[in-house]
Amino acid sequence: MIIISDHMDPDVDFYVPPGSDATEALSEALQLGNVYGVAHIVVRGRLYLYANGNTLFTLEQTKHYVFEGDGLGEIYYVNPNNVQNPGPVFSVGSITSTQMKYIGDVAPVIDPQFAAYSTGGWMIAFKSLRLVNQTSQRWFIITGFAGMHSLMMYFDSVEFLASIWINETTEVVVYNCYVNGNELLFDSQSRELVVFGSRFEQNGVLAMSARGWSVVGCVFIGKNSYLNPGNDGNDGSVVGCVFDGATLITQGAANLKVVACQFQNVTFSGYQGSAQITLGWNYVIVGCSFIQYPLSITNVYNGHTVVVAMNNFDYGSNLVIGVCDDGYLDSLIIMGNIFTSQN
């Protein structure tokens, strides 16, 4: 465990004066992690990272990383020098990417090191932190390498005032997090995404193109807050979530299950959320409550099944199901629902 802080406590390994640039100190702390094989960085107080036009830190597969707040640690990404086109704070690279060119149909794994990394798992975790981005760079954390699927990421009790773009993971867990005005994007064939007990508000967005995912017990609040399974965000489940003026919207997520969710405008009067499910197949909407909340399932194509069962549609909530021109459904089941007028 390596402690970096703006407090001059006796146990601090790297002290950074309040308000000054902590980039060099954090870089040295990460290097010290090479000694242990795990970079367990504890952030005490508030650290400022100054934009310099490049990615500040590239996390490689040489070790695992754990970034943890002592209480609630804060990392602020700022641009006091007005740098043009600042990079992200963290990017993720792969020392085995060069081995990809040797992979083919008859030689799926050519290098033992590559095999070890791609199947053994590699962990990056953030816990009890407030991440704040005050620069023009959209992404605080970004990953981008092809075909690895070895990265496991964990976010526990993180307050996101910054956006992240995560690609091609093997597992992601988001637990008890808070997202305000920013986006968590899990993209490009990520796998096994689980988000639970988290809150998205004031333009907070959770978007995914993951294969196999679940969102459980989350809250989406406000007109421009979204849960957005993308065009290949397939085989996902939304269970026990609350949509308060927010929107559930898809663009082709197949095999989507929405179960025991509440759709109602409660917090902000005059806001109209909606559930817009489109361009996919095999949808199941079961046991949900729609109160002045329209549900549209449109542009369904290529057969398969749509099930809408045991829901209540109250006070003018509409259910609309539309099939693409020249398209068809194998099975449409609307069963056991309650429809109540505005009166």
Side-chain angles (χ1 to χ4, degrees):
M1 185 172 68
I2 304 165
I3 301 175
I4 178 170
S5 176
D6 61 351
H7 302 162
M8 296 184 68
D9 300 324
D11 60 341
V12 168
D13 298 291
F14 293 91
Y15 168 69
V16 181
S20 60
D21 187 4
T23 303
E24 183 177 353
L26 183 53
S27 178
E28 292 178 0
L30 291 172
Q31 290 296 318
L32 184 59
N34 291 333
V35 176
Y36 307 104
V38 176
H40 185 180
I41 309 299
V42 174
V43 176
R44 181 178 298 167
R46 177 180 294 181
L47 300 182
Y48 288 91
L49 302 176
Y50 289 13
N52 61 15
N54 300 305
T55 299
L56 297 189
F57 307 102
T58 299
L59 307 182
E60 296 283 358
Q61 281 184 295
T62 51
K63 56 181 177 289
H64 301 298
Y65 297 85
V66 179
F67 299 90
E68 181 177 1
D70 185 358
L72 178 64
E74 298 179 303
I75 301 177
Y76 276 68
Y77 186 34
V78 296
N79 190 10
N81 300 317
N82 295 318
V83 172
Q84 298 294 317
N85 300 317
V89 175
F90 296 104
S91 68
V92 176
S94 168
I95 61 174
T96 59
S97 292
T98 56
Q99 299 295 329
M100 291 298 296
K101 63 184 179 181
Y102 299 114
I103 301 224
D105 294 337
V106 295
V109 174
I110 193 68
D111 185 271
Q113 181 190 44
F114 181 86
Y117 279 130
S118 62
T119 59
W122 167 38
M123 185 183 75
I124 299 175
F126 291 80
K127 178 179 174 63
S128 300
L129 288 168
R130 174 183 290 137
L131 306 180
V132 182
N133 181 11
Q134 296 180 339
T135 75
S136 59
Q137 166 58 240
R138 181 177 180 182
W139 306 110
F140 193 92
I141 305 171
I142 185 170
T143 73
F145 50 88
M148 291 297 294
H149 294 299
S150 62
L151 174 60
M152 299 184 295
M153 297 196 76
Y154 300 91
F155 300 93
D156 179 358
S157 304
V158 177
E159 182 176 341
F160 287 95
L161 301 178
S163 295
I164 64 172
W165 182 15
I166 308 300
N167 292 279
E168 298 205 356
T169 59
T170 190
E171 177 178 290
V172 179
V173 176
V174 179
Y175 170 70
N176 191 33
C177 290
Y178 173 71
V179 181
N180 187 311
N182 283 276
E183 179 178 4
L184 307 188
L185 172 58
F186 302 97
D187 204 0
S188 295
Q189 302 181 21
S190 291
R191 300 173 181 172
E192 287 78 56
L193 167 66
V194 180
V195 182
F196 55 102
S198 297
R199 179 181 176 98
F200 298 79
E201 69 177 351
Q202 293 185 0
N203 303 315
V205 176
L206 172 60
M208 70 283 286
S209 292
R211 264 67 167 175
W213 55 269
S214 60
V215 178
V216 181
C218 292
V219 177
F220 299 84
I221 294 183
K223 182 179 180 181
N224 294 312
S225 294
Y226 293 90
L227 172 58
N228 179 203
N231 60 6
D232 55 356
N234 300 328
D235 308 312
S237 300
V238 184
V239 181
C241 292
V242 175
F243 292 82
D244 181 356
T247 297
L248 166 62
I249 186 169
T250 76
Q251 299 94 31
N255 305 315
L256 174 65
K257 312 295 188 292
V258 182
V259 180
C261 292
Q262 174 78 19
F263 295 82
Q264 184 175 7
N265 303 302
V266 176
T267 303
F268 302 103
S269 62
Y271 280 10
Q272 179 68 52
S274 63
Q276 305 170 34
I277 300 172
T278 187
L279 289 173
W281 57 79
N282 285 351
Y283 295 131
V284 175
I285 315 295
V286 174
C288 295
S289 178
F290 295 87
I291 301 177
Q292 292 184 322
Y293 237 89
L295 167 62
S296 61
I297 303 174
T298 58
N299 291 314
V300 182
Y301 66 101
N302 288 349
H304 303 282
T305 300
V306 172
V307 178
V308 181
M310 309 303 176
N311 307 284
N312 62 278
F313 295 86
D314 297 337
Y315 303 106
S317 297
N318 299 316
L319 169 62
V320 177
I321 299 175
V323 180
C324 287
D325 291 343
D326 298 323
Y328 65 95
L329 273 175
D330 292 329
S331 177
L332 171 60
I333 301 172
I334 301 176
M335 179 180 67
N337 299 285
I338 299 172
F339 295 87
T340 306
S341 70
Q342 292 182 345
N343 297 324

